[in-house]
Amino acid sequence: MFRVGNGYDVHKLAEGRKLILGGVEIPFEKGLLGHSDADVLVHAIIDALLGACGKRDIGTLFPDTDSAYKDISSLILLERAAEEVEKSGYRMSNIDSIIVAQKPKLSPFIDNMKNNIAAAMDIEAGRINIKATTSEGLGFTGTGEGIAAYAVACLYSNEER
């Protein structure tokens, strides 16, 4: 059986925070505000994975009311989500994702993001696709108030090997 899940996440940009996307610290004057490291890309991927294997969302698995997740690296959460996929009887086919941010320019960091995500999931980097775009100055991403990410995860049953 082949399954597909989609994920979306958004976080507000704020002073005094590091900007972490795909597990990469990106030089920028603001970072994303959140309970964990607020990595919107990884959060969207986690939600896509969980959806594809029939689980609830990231907030159910890793609640922001639990101090164990305060400032945690989202890559650790991704490792745990990948374990949930495996326990559910599925394996990763591929992930396609988009980061929406007016600034900063993200293309120089995408290969490192792919490698980090692949390592956290113990899969080949070629199974991960990351694109970055702007919203042409429109909406909260366009005005620099926040960053959003979308992801689609495709899984296949362990029985189909």
Side-chain angles (χ1 to χ4, degrees):
M1 179 190 310
F2 191 73
R3 297 192 53 142
V4 176
N6 63 62
Y8 169 77
D9 195 36
V10 60
H11 283 276
K12 180 179 181 176
L13 282 162
E15 307 254 341
R17 295 276 299 185
K18 293 179 182 178
L19 179 57
I20 308 291
L21 294 170
V24 176
E25 185 174 337
I26 297 168
F28 195 58
E29 65 263 13
K30 293 181 180 178
L32 294 169
L33 189 59
H35 186 69
S36 65
D37 63 5
D39 187 330
V40 293
L41 174 60
V42 173
H43 293 184
I45 290 170
I46 290 170
D47 268 346
L49 290 168
L50 294 175
C53 66
K55 303 269 183 193
R56 298 220 21 221
D57 61 26
I58 187 173
T60 302
L61 194 59
F62 310 113
D64 64 5
T65 55
D66 189 334
S67 61
Y69 305 120
K70 178 74 175 142
D71 296 324
I72 193 169
S73 167
S74 293
L75 291 175
I76 293 170
L77 303 180
L78 180 59
E79 288 174 13
R80 294 178 188 170
E83 290 168 6
E84 289 294 317
V85 168
E86 187 72 26
K87 285 182 202 172
S88 296
Y90 293 94
R91 290 181 126 351
M92 172 61 57
S93 174
N94 67 296
I95 292 170
D96 187 39
S97 59
I98 303 169
I99 306 167
V100 184
Q102 199 65 35
K103 291 181 185 176
K105 291 292 184 197
L106 299 174
S107 58
F109 305 100
I110 287 179
D111 285 341
N112 287 341
M113 291 179 201
K114 286 175 61 171
N115 291 333
N116 287 345
I117 291 165
M121 297 182 65
D122 195 26
I123 61 173
E124 304 86 25
R127 293 177 180 248
I128 310 292
N129 190 41
I130 301 170
K131 300 174 294 288
T133 190
T134 70
S135 56
E136 301 296 330
L138 300 172
F140 70 90
T141 58
T143 60
E145 295 174 67
I147 295 177
Y150 299 85
V152 175
C154 298
L155 307 178
Y156 60 90
S157 172
N158 281 332
E159 297 169 4
E160 294 182 22
R161 298 176 110 195

